[in-house]
């Protein structure tokens, strides 16, 4: 043995060295190593620190159940916190760091917390909150800073994720999850029946538990059997490094595949990972089982690990956790580990909780040189930074422990039984069932199309697991072919007689025994939770943090609930188990976005006029998914602050041109289209004449405003609905849902035509003059096209005429026309109208000026219709019909929505000329500038129509009539200013509508 690396054995490639760094120090391992095995081989014991007490932690497991060796990988944008060293495949150039420690994990000043452990018992943070509730804000903020600073473990990167991910959809006949012996056998059998098979394995090696294993399977040497199975599976879709993180309705399975995490220099064209959304006809879960420990004194020290992990590191990686080993168990499986350790040259001692273990097992262990103590238990680990010895004791039939001696060993392996990995089937709502003889939870009856096999079904003897897997796969194959097949009978077993042991306690002694080392949850924490009334396992979990975060109770969950059951004086079965939820292990958030990130997350949508607008000095901003002209610069020195009042003034005085292509446009067609709109809108649409438009508002079922817009009646059975830019998609989805689920009898079809039409609004006193000069055919006079009328016309452009739909609609409060042409002609339309507008002394205007115009006129937008607003709040109450039903008609009458003191729409002007205020400020009474105030500001602009003063729109309790000409305070604690304002009527600009009707 060189260091802790065995001279021979293991499934690593000793000829392929891998260089990596740990906390800035250079190390090396081999191809096939994990970070955990390579650091173990190098003699590194302390790899992490506990959450609360900052006690040293080392490797505790060999798979996703690892709760000690949590590390940070990489640097900068690729920094990944809380990675499990046992799952990190070693590659050249890997950089790993300790976390949750200062200055490092080997010497951590935070260790002082261990001396203050009494102050960090279960629920200490809740009690801290309650304890300071009587103090002021300043005191609370100081405590909050301390708590937030201490919270968490590793530090995630604050930079954008530089990697790409893919989302893949797949179908198959059979999805086998887990490529252990049972999974390989199940997949092979399914292939033999001619089925399409996907095999997913979370490890980078298939059949990981078979690597380095001795013995035979189905009469063939284990290594040869594995090789034969892999060769037979060449026709299957095999996904190594792929975890099934969730099982959902319809037996849809979510898989996450690590694609490049193991590569030193990955191809930049490859994604870092893939989410596979698989829809199989049958799911076979061969997910294995997770060994669990039991609690005893200082069982969190580096060098204390699961017995199965000891065997994995010895057989698969050729690494010894130490040169002397004490194993402690309550079942037969640890005897195999003891034989493996003794054969590797480790001084091995085995403590069997059971007074009378199986004679054959006992004799074989002693013959291999293993020292065996029967009826003995571990009491307490000796050593601070690692295992230096193990105090042991005898345990009588009553469970009382008497310490006897100390074994000077460097590592301790613990086997307290196994918990089948039933997480995935639990995602489908299958309740776990307690199996008394096996002392574990097994899955209840799963839905059709889901079966469990191998250790996941409680079958721990390898030959029996393989036979069961083949039988399960055969039965599923027959079912998929429409033939009746009885599923095989499941006979859990293979661990011998288990003597349940959850904790070693010594009368009269205080031991610090850990259930969840990741979160520093002790056995005393569990009992304290029970004593304080947290009798539900779900409440206990959250109060103590047992099994939270990356752990999810994989090793300590059952131990914790068994201790809770004991404290409550009831059975484990009666106490129950916490609910398993996806994901099974952490999945990068970016993986769920896939390629939909940055510009691909919300693809940028450009109107057909964008290029022409840019040539005219347009500055653009984001409006939902769209790029819209924000303002137009007249020269290099021009600014937004100067431009938008100038543009708004042009509309008021002469004429302006704005791009309105982004408005949602929905075709509503069919014999019942009018009736449908009549039910959707609060006002009547059933009798809207052909060739006319009407402004409408739609409510949600709860009576609050959803969206507004103008709908045009084009013909007998055809309407064109416009919706706000922000809500266009939601409105279409809502209409489709109504037709499919609520009113399927209506003969109506809806379709988005937003991208089919380019549109502009021509507004101002000279708007008709400009339009008439641009037209080749049509009549837009008052007689031919009155307010809210529409007509078809043709616009003359270079090279021909453009067919256009023109509606006499005004959002600005001025005479205005909305002109829609096929999208391909949008650029030509803009280029045709712009010079005509400029000749009349007008200008193109952008979104900021549009906001000015609508604030002056008192028109509402999404800023006011924010999901909390009623018709009355927005000043639109008189629109609601009293003669017909409509969505939201009943619930809008709820008392809370009709109170006179509800905040309602109003204008706000500064009392002192030149003063300004800002959107988001709070409207307050001059004598009560605190709390939520009387209302809030939703928009502010410099208003040309109101003598160049600042003007705000927003809400105030009771509306403008309740505070007419009253002076209030607009408080802005963020900017540290208060502004005295006067409340005004929001509709006082041209209240009779003479400018837009004229």
């Amino acid at each position: 043995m060189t260091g802790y690396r065995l001279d021979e054995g293991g499934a690593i490639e000793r000829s392929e060295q891998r260089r990596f760094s740990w906390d800035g120090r250079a190390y090396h391992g081999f191809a096939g190593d994990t970070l955990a095995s390579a650091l173990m081989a190098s003699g590194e014991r302390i790899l992490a620190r506990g959450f609360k007490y900052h006690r040293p932690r080392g490797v505790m497991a060999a798979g996703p159940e690892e709760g000690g060796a949590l590390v940070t990988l990489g640097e900068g944008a690729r920094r990944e916190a809380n990675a499990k060293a046992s799952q990190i495949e070693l590659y050249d150039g890997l950089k790993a760091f300790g976390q949750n420690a200062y200055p490092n994990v080997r010497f951590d000043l935070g260790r002082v917390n261990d001396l203050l452990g009494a102050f960090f018992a279960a629920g200490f943070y809740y009690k801290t909150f309650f304890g300071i509730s009587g103090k002021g804000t300043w005191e609370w903020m100081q405590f909050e800073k301390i708590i937030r600073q201490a919270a968490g473990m590793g530090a995630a990167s604050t930079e954008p994720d530089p990697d790409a991910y893919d989302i893949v959809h797949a179908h198959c006949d059979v999805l086998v999850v887990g490529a252990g012996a049972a999974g390989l056998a199940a997949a092979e059998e399914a292939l033999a029946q001619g089925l399409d098979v996907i095999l997913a394995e979370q490890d980078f090696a298939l059949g990981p538990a078979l690597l380095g294993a001795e013995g035979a399977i189905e009469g063939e040497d284990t290594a040869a059997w594995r090789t034969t199975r892999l060769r037979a599976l060449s026709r299957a879709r095999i996904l190594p490094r792929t975890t099934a993180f969730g099982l959902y309705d319809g037996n849809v399975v979510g898989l996450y595949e690590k694609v490049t995490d193991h590569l030193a220099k990955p191809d930049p064209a490859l994604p870092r990972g893939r989410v596979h959304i698989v829809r199989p006809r049958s799911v076979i879960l061969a997910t294995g089982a997770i060994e669990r420990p039991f609690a005893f004194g200082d069982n969190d020290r580096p060098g204390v690990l699961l017995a199965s992990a000891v065997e994995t590191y010895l057989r698969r990686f050729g690494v010894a956790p130490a040169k002397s080993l004490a194993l402690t168990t309550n079942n037969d499986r640890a005897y195999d580990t003891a034989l493996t350790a003794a054969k590797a040259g480790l001084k091995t001692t085995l403590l069997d909780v059971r007074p009378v273990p199986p004679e054959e097992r006992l004799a074989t262990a002693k013959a291999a040189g293993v020292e065996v103590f029967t009826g003995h238990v571990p009491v307490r680990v000796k050593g601070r930074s690692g295992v230096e010895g193990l105090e042991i004791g005898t345990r009588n039939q009553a469970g009382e422990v008497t310490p006897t001696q100390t074994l000077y060993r460097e590592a301790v392996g613990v086997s307290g039984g196994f918990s089948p990995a039933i997480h995935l089937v639990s995602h489908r709502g299958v309740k776990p069932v307690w199996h008394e003889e096996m002392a574990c939870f097994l899955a209840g009856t799963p839905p059709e199309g889901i079966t469990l096999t191998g250790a996941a079904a409680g079958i721990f003897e390898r030959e029996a697991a393989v036979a069961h897997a083949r039988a399960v796969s055969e039965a599923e194959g027959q079912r998929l072919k429409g033939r009746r097949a009885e599923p095989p009978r499941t006979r859990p077993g293979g661990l011998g007689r288990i003597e349940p042991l959850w904790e070693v306690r010594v009368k009269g002694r205080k031991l610090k025994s850990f259930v969840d080392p990741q979160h520093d949850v002790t056995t005393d924490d569990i009992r304290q939770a029970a004593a304080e009334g947290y009798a539900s396992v779900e409440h206990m979990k959250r109060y103590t943090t047992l099994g939270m975060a990356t752990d999810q109770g994989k090793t300590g969950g059952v131990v914790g609930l068994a201790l809770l059951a004991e404290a409550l004086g009831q059975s484990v079965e009666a106490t129950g188990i916490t609910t398993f939820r996806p994901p099974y292990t952490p999945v990068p958030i970016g993986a769920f976005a896939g390629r939909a990130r940055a510009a691909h997350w919300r693809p940028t949508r450009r109107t057909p006029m964008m290029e022409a607008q840019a040539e005219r000095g347009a500055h653009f901003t984001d409006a939902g998914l769209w790029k819209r002209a924000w303002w137009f610069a007249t020269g290099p020195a021009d600014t937004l602050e100067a431009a938008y009042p100038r543009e708004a003034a042009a509309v008021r005085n002469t004429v302006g041109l704005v791009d309105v292509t982004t408005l949602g446009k929905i075709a509503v067609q069919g014999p019942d289209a009018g009736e449908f709109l009549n039910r959707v809108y609060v006002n009547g649409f059933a009798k809207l004449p052909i060739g006319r438009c009407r402004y409408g508002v739609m409510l949600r079922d709860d009576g609050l405003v959803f969206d507004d817009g103008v709908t045009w009646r084009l013909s007998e059975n055809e309407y064109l609905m416009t919706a706000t830019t922000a809500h266009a998609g939601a409105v279409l989805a809502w209409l489709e849902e109504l037709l499919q689920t609520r009113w399927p009898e209506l003969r109506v079809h809806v379709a988005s035509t937003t991208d089919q039409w380019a549109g502009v609004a021509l507004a101002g006193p000279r708007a008709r003059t400009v339009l008439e000069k641009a037209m080749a055919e049509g009549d837009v006079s008052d007689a031919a096209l009155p307010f809210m009328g529409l007509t078809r016309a043709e616009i003359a452009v270079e090279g021909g005429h453009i067919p256009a739909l023109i509606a006499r609609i005004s959002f600005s409060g001025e005479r205005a026309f909305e002109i829609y042409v096929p999208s391909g002609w949008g650029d030509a339309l803009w280029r045709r109208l712009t010079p005509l507008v400029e000749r009349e002394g007008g200008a193109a205007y952008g979104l900021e000026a549009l906001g000015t115009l609508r604030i002056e006129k008192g028109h509402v937008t999404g800023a006011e219709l924010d999901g909390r607003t009623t018709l009355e709040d927005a000043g639109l109450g008189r629109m609601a019909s009293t003669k017909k039903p409509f969505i939201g008609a009943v619930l809008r009458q709820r008392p809370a929505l009709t109170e006179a003191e509800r905040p309602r729409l109003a204008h706000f002007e500064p009392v002192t000329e030149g003063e300004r205020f800002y959107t988001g400020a709070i409207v307050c009474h001059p004598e009560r500038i605190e709390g939520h105030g009387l209302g809030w500001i939703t928009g502010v602009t410099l208003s040309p129509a109101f003598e160049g003063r600042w003007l705000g729109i927003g809400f105030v309790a009771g509306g403008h009539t309740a505070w007419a000409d009253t002076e209030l305070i607009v408080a802005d604690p963020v900017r540290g200013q208060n502004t005295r304002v006067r409340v005004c009527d929001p509709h006082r600009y041209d209240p009779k509508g003479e400018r837009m009707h004229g």
Side-chain angles (χ1 to χ4, degrees):
M1 185 185 299
T2 304
Y4 292 93
R5 180 77 72 179
L6 302 184
D7 294 333
E8 59 181 19
I12 54 175
E13 295 290 341
R14 296 175 187 260
S15 61
E16 297 183 27
Q17 199 171 87
R18 298 286 186 264
R19 299 187 180 278
F20 68 100
S21 68
W22 164 247
D23 261 354
R25 299 180 182 179
Y27 294 84
H28 77 270
F30 301 105
D33 262 327
T34 62
L35 177 62
S37 66
L39 288 173
M40 184 182 288
S42 300
E44 289 290 343
R45 306 190 82 181
I46 301 176
L47 304 186
R49 290 281 169 168
F51 175 51
K52 288 190 297 186
Y53 304 126
H54 285 248
R55 288 161 65 102
R57 296 282 186 266
V59 174
M60 295 182 172
E65 67 273 20
E66 176 61 63
L70 302 182
V71 302
T72 293
L73 299 178
E75 297 175 296
R78 287 191 168 85
R79 185 171 71 235
E80 177 186 349
N82 300 322
K84 298 173 185 290
S86 56
Q87 289 192 293
I88 301 166
E89 188 174 352
L90 204 64
Y91 62 86
D92 269 328
L94 172 66
K95 292 183 178 181
F97 305 88
Q99 57 183 38
N100 194 40
Y102 179 81
N104 56 61
V105 293
R106 290 174 292 278
F107 178 76
D108 178 19
L109 295 178
R111 180 68 185 273
V112 68
N113 285 8
D114 197 22
L115 304 176
L116 305 173
F119 297 98
F120 295 105
F124 76 93
Y125 35 85
Y126 296 114
K127 294 166 186 173
T128 301
F129 297 158
F130 283 123
I132 63 173
S133 61
K135 299 184 181 296
T137 302
W138 186 88
E139 289 86 350
W140 160 249
M141 293 303 293
Q142 306 318 304
F143 278 104
E144 184 187 35
K145 290 176 183 176
I146 296 172
I147 292 170
R148 289 192 181 281
Q149 186 67 30
M153 296 183 73
S157 173
T158 58
E159 300 176 41
D161 187 345
D163 294 308
Y165 302 87
D166 273 340
I167 296 178
V168 179
H169 293 265
H171 294 78
C172 63
D173 293 322
V174 178
L175 170 65
V176 180
V177 180
L184 293 176
E188 182 186 34
E189 187 63 35
L191 275 177
Q193 297 184 69
L195 300 175
D196 180 22
V197 176
I198 295 178
L199 174 63
E201 167 56 49
Q202 65 186 357
D203 206 302
F204 56 86
L206 300 177
L210 305 179
L211 295 174
E214 298 178 345
I217 304 176
E218 297 181 315
E220 191 176 3
D221 174 76
T222 298
W225 185 90
R226 174 179 176 272
T227 301
T228 303
R229 303 292 80 72
L230 294 181
R231 190 180 300 118
L233 291 172
S234 61
R235 291 183 292 111
R237 283 177 278 173
I238 300 177
L239 299 174
R241 304 180 183 88
T242 302
T243 300
F245 60 79
L247 179 55
Y248 305 93
D249 290 349
N251 295 348
V252 174
V253 183
L255 308 175
Y256 177 66
E257 176 190 7
K258 297 178 180 179
V259 178
T260 62
D261 282 358
H262 62 293
L263 301 177
K265 296 179 179 180
D267 183 343
L270 288 175
R272 179 187 175 189
R274 295 188 185 99
V275 169
H276 297 258
I277 302 174
V278 185
R279 293 172 174 81
R281 298 171 64 199
S282 175
V283 182
I284 298 178
L285 300 176
T287 46
I290 299 170
E291 191 169 30
R292 61 174 181 258
F294 45 82
F296 53 93
D298 294 326
N299 61 323
D300 63 323
R301 301 295 190 200
V304 178
L305 64 170
L306 297 172
S308 59
V310 173
E311 188 166 3
T312 296
Y313 286 112
L314 287 168
R315 286 186 169 174
R316 177 177 174 181
F317 300 108
V319 175
K323 295 180 180 179
S324 60
L325 172 70
L327 289 164
T328 177
T329 187
N330 64 352
N331 61 82
D332 287 359
R333 182 55 65 84
Y335 280 83
D336 295 331
T337 304
L339 295 176
T340 301
K343 185 177 180 180
L346 277 65
K347 183 178 181 181
T348 306
T349 300
L350 178 64
L351 311 178
D352 195 328
V353 171
R354 302 169 296 183
V356 185
E359 291 184 10
E360 183 180 350
R361 289 279 196 177
L362 187 61
T364 303
K366 289 183 176 180
V370 177
E371 182 182 25
V372 181
F373 290 84
T374 59
H376 279 69
V377 294
V379 175
R380 180 175 176 270
V381 172
K382 301 287 188 179
R384 291 179 60 81
S385 298
V387 177
E388 296 175 5
L390 178 65
E391 182 182 7
I392 67 172
T394 58
R395 183 171 180 262
N396 61 25
Q397 291 183 346
E400 296 172 340
V401 175
T402 302
T404 57
Q405 61 178 299
T406 297
L407 301 175
Y408 290 95
R409 304 290 183 269
E410 298 171 346
V412 177
V414 187
S415 179
F418 288 80
S419 297
I422 57 174
H423 303 68
L424 291 175
V425 74
S426 298
H427 295 171
R428 284 297 315 275
V430 176
K431 297 295 184 183
V433 178
W434 180 251
H435 193 286
E436 194 68 36
E437 293 180 7
M438 298 290 295
C440 67
F441 282 96
L442 299 177
T445 304
E448 184 177 72
I450 301 176
T451 52
L452 295 92
T453 189
I459 306 170
F460 293 94
E461 198 279 314
R462 188 164 285 161
E463 286 283 355
V466 168
H468 184 266
R470 291 192 183 282
V472 161
S473 188
E474 181 181 6
E476 279 299 285
Q478 295 299 312
R479 183 184 68 81
L480 294 179
K481 294 174 183 177
R483 302 167 188 164
R484 183 173 180 178
E486 288 296 326
R489 184 177 178 185
T490 303
R491 295 183 176 84
L495 296 177
R497 182 182 60 83
I498 296 179
E499 184 167 322
L501 176 63
W502 313 112
E503 179 188 14
V504 175
R505 301 177 69 180
V506 179
K507 190 174 182 180
R509 285 186 63 178
K510 180 74 171 177
L511 298 175
K512 199 161 192 173
S513 306
F514 287 83
V515 179
D516 181 347
Q518 182 177 147
H519 299 96
D520 285 342
V521 180
T522 66
T523 55
D524 286 340
D525 289 332
I526 306 297
R527 283 186 282 273
Q528 180 177 327
E532 295 184 5
Y534 294 91
S536 162
V537 290
E538 298 288 359
H539 293 162
M540 179 273 287
K541 171 182 176 179
R542 286 153 180 81
Y543 190 64
T544 64
T545 70
L546 170 67
M548 303 282 271
T550 63
D551 177 72
Q552 293 300 300
K554 288 182 175 62
T555 56
V558 173
V559 178
L561 67 89
L563 292 172
L564 177 65
E566 182 182 276
L568 297 174
Q570 60 191 31
S571 67
V572 175
E573 182 177 19
T575 304
I577 189 171
T578 54
T579 301
F580 297 121
R581 296 183 177 90
Y584 173 67
T585 53
V587 178
I589 293 176
F592 293 111
R595 298 279 177 175
R597 51 172 297 154
H600 298 287
W601 177 54
R602 283 188 170 182
T604 300
R605 302 181 71 177
R606 297 173 171 85
T607 75
M609 295 88 153
M610 188 171 178
E611 185 176 337
Q613 292 166 354
E615 293 173 4
R616 292 282 180 166
H619 290 252
F620 295 92
T621 188
D622 293 324
L625 298 178
W626 294 87
K627 287 288 185 184
R628 292 192 69 176
W630 189 7
W631 58 284
F632 289 81
T634 58
D638 205 2
T639 63
L640 169 67
E641 288 72 18
Y644 82 82
R646 179 181 66 239
E647 294 168 8
V651 175
R652 296 287 183 223
N653 298 325
T654 55
V655 63
L657 178 68
V658 66
D659 184 354
V660 296
T661 302
T662 63
L663 288 176
K665 295 174 280 290
I666 301 170
V668 183
Q669 300 168 321
D672 297 324
E675 172 60 23
F676 177 56
L677 294 171
N678 214 41
R679 299 180 186 184
V680 169
Y681 283 122
V682 302
N683 47 327
F685 275 78
K687 297 180 181 180
L688 179 65
I690 296 172
R692 299 289 290 180
C693 309
R694 182 164 293 165
Y695 173 72
V697 179
M698 59 181 72
L699 307 183
R700 302 188 314 223
D701 279 321
D702 61 2
L704 297 177
V705 177
F706 177 29
D707 197 54
D708 68 337
V710 176
T711 293
W712 313 5
R713 189 169 188 180
L714 306 180
S715 65
E716 181 68 25
N717 296 326
E718 182 178 9
Y719 296 78
L720 179 64
M721 173 191 289
T722 64
T724 59
T725 298
H727 287 162
V731 169
L732 177 64
W734 174 236
L735 299 180
E736 289 176 332
E737 180 183 339
L738 292 174
L739 291 172
Q740 291 176 28
T741 64
R742 198 170 303 188
W743 303 315
E745 73 282 359
L746 291 182
R747 298 166 295 169
V748 179
H749 178 77
V750 295
S752 173
T753 60
T754 300
D755 292 338
Q756 278 65 51
W757 294 98
V760 298
L762 197 59
R766 306 290 294 168
R768 180 184 287 127
T769 302
V770 171
L771 182 56
E772 287 177 335
K773 290 180 179 179
M775 290 172 58
E777 291 184 17
D779 185 358
V780 292
S781 64
D782 279 337
L785 187 63
F787 185 69
M788 298 306 281
L790 66 93
T791 187
R792 296 182 185 272
E794 291 191 358
I795 307 295
V797 298
E798 185 177 346
H801 296 171
I802 306 174
L805 274 175
I806 302 175
R808 180 93 178 269
I809 306 168
S810 179
F811 185 68
S812 60
E814 304 297 328
R815 177 188 295 158
F817 303 87
E818 287 191 9
I819 308 161
Y820 289 96
V821 299
S823 292
W825 290 103
D827 181 79
L829 176 66
W830 185 270
R831 293 180 187 275
R832 175 71 173 118
L833 293 176
T834 303
L836 295 176
V837 167
E838 291 173 348
R839 286 173 199 161
E840 295 296 328
Y845 64 100
L847 204 57
E848 194 71 22
L850 187 66
T852 297
L853 298 169
R854 74 95 183 172
I855 289 174
E856 291 174 339
K857 186 62 178 173
H859 284 165
V860 291
T861 65
E864 290 75 40
L865 307 181
D866 59 0
R868 300 176 294 174
T869 311
T870 68
L871 284 171
E872 285 72 17
D873 297 344
L876 304 172
R878 287 183 296 178
M879 287 183 61
S881 173
T882 59
K883 300 178 181 179
K884 71 177 182 73
F886 54 87
I887 291 175
V890 175
L891 292 184
R892 66 181 287 265
Q893 302 295 337
R894 286 176 291 168
L897 300 186
T898 57
E899 291 178 349
E901 292 302 310
R902 279 185 62 85
R904 290 181 176 162
L905 200 68
H907 263 169
F908 303 88
E909 288 184 351
V911 173
T912 303
E913 187 174 349
E915 282 193 352
R916 69 166 300 180
F917 49 98
Y918 296 88
T919 300
I922 303 169
V923 181
C924 301
H925 193 282
E927 298 177 3
R928 293 188 300 277
I929 308 176
E930 59 183 16
H932 295 288
L934 300 170
W936 59 95
I937 304 298
T938 58
V940 178
T941 191
L942 192 64
S943 170
F946 289 91
E947 303 174 348
R949 298 167 63 91
W950 288 98
L951 177 66
I953 192 171
F955 294 90
V956 65
H960 69 277
T961 55
W963 303 93
D965 296 324
T966 302
E967 293 185 6
L968 299 177
I969 297 294
V970 171
D972 194 338
V974 174
R975 296 176 178 84
Q977 71 176 52
N978 294 333
T979 306
R980 188 173 292 273
V981 298
R982 184 178 295 106
V983 182
C984 307
D985 184 348
H987 306 301
R988 60 209 164 103
Y989 179 78
D990 187 26
K992 296 182 180 180
E994 294 170 343
R995 296 177 67 89
M996 61 184 179
H997 286 85

